[in-house]
Amino acid sequence: MKTIKLSSMRILFVFSLVMMMTLCHLNMAQAAERTKRLALLPVENISMLEDCGGDKYIGQQLERIVHVPLNGVTKAVEYIDIRDSYRELAALVNSGKYVTKRNRPNYAAIMPVLADKLGADLVIFLRVREAHQFIYHDWWGRTRIDAGVELELLGFDRGQVPALVAAGEGTKKKKALPPGVIKDSVHRYIHDEYTGQGLYELTVEALDELMAGNEMRERVFPTRK
């Protein structure tokens, strides 16, 4: 009886091991089929936030947003080389084909084209459009601060295109963004007596609102059913 029981346990162990390996293989195969190609571009004008440390915060948060747990195994996301992404963006900007009426780069028009050239499913491009901080003393000897920051988020999400097209987005309004294009900005400003809050804190607030409001983490690594 002892020998039979031991053999049965071995058979059960081997069977379980085979099943685990099979499921693992299937999961990896399924993950490979739905691998998302992601292009994260360099932050434009990030040097404007070096003095206050906002550049480090932005870098850390973007790294957190695009990080996918166990990606080495699941292959859920393929990260496009940042140098290739920047080179293609620069070429499109310098081509002169995509400009606004004020002769500025039309990033809303550039994003879908950039995504196609890179073969990207998701493009993320952050721009620092404004950043300043002045701390001074007024006539009464009080320490005051004048600081402000504006961050702009641009990009393209191919996964959103079918639903937006089906809903008729992009045709309802003349100024509507092309389907899948991401374009949003947040501005934070303070002009008051200095209490320790400055450009760094404004940058944190602006970036957090921008990323959360556009659900960037969910776009990279969906966790909702």
Side-chain angles (χ1 to χ4, degrees), residues 43-45 107 125-129 150-154:
V43 179
E44 185 177 276
N45 298 324
Y107 286 109
F125 180 36
L126 186 69
R127 302 175 67 212
V128 181
R129 299 193 61 179
E150 181 179 2
L151 303 180
E152 182 179 38
L153 174 65
L154 294 150

Side-chain angles (χ1 to χ4, degrees), residues 86-217:
Y86 179 75
R87 183 168 55 251
E88 292 292 350
L89 174 64
L92 291 170
V93 170
N94 295 328
S95 70
K97 296 180 180 179
Y98 310 95
V99 295
T100 65
K101 292 180 179 180
R102 296 182 179 181
N103 202 33
R104 296 175 180 174
N106 186 347
Y107 286 109
I110 288 174
M111 290 298 108
V113 181
L114 177 63
D116 287 344
K117 283 185 172 295
L118 295 172
D121 299 298
L122 181 62
V123 176
I124 302 174
F125 180 36
L126 186 69
R127 302 175 67 212
V128 181
R129 299 193 61 179
E130 176 196 353
H132 72 273
Q133 176 172 276
F134 304 105
I135 299 176
Y136 60 96
H137 297 285
D138 62 16
W139 290 103
W140 295 272
R142 296 175 302 185
T143 302
R144 301 185 65 83
I145 183 172
D146 184 329
V149 64
E150 181 179 2
L151 303 180
E152 182 179 38
L153 174 65
L154 294 150
F156 181 78
D157 188 348
R158 198 176 302 279
Q160 296 292 313
V161 173
L164 293 174
V165 171
E169 295 294 334
T171 59
K172 295 179 180 179
K173 299 179 181 179
K174 292 183 179 180
K175 294 185 178 181
L177 293 173
V181 171
I182 303 166
K183 183 179 181 181
D184 194 9
S185 62
V186 173
H187 181 260
R188 285 287 181 274
Y189 178 74
I190 184 172
H191 181 66
D192 204 347
E193 189 169 353
Y194 183 60
T195 60
Q197 302 292 309
L199 182 56
Y200 176 82
E201 288 74 20
L202 295 178
T203 300
V204 170
E205 292 178 8
L207 182 68
D208 290 354
E209 179 179 333
L210 199 55
M211 293 299 166
N214 289 277
E215 299 184 319
M216 296 310 297
R217 178 58 179 163

Side-chain angles (χ1 to χ4, degrees), residues 38-101:
L38 187 154
L40 176 65
L41 287 112
V43 179
E44 185 177 276
N45 298 324
I46 189 67
S47 60
M48 297 173 68
L49 295 169
E50 287 180 353
D51 290 344
C52 73
D55 60 326
K56 293 183 176 61
Y57 181 77
I58 288 177
Q60 292 169 354
Q61 290 303 103
L62 288 178
E63 184 177 345
R64 180 190 66 80
I65 287 170
V66 302
H67 173 71
V68 176
L70 300 176
N71 192 57
V73 176
T74 64
K75 308 296 182 183
V77 172
E78 178 184 349
Y79 300 99
I80 299 172
D81 192 305
I82 194 169
R83 294 167 296 185
D84 294 338
S85 300
Y86 179 75
R87 183 168 55 251
E88 292 292 350
L89 174 64
L92 291 170
V93 170
N94 295 328
S95 70
K97 296 180 180 179
Y98 310 95
V99 295
T100 65
K101 292 180 179 180

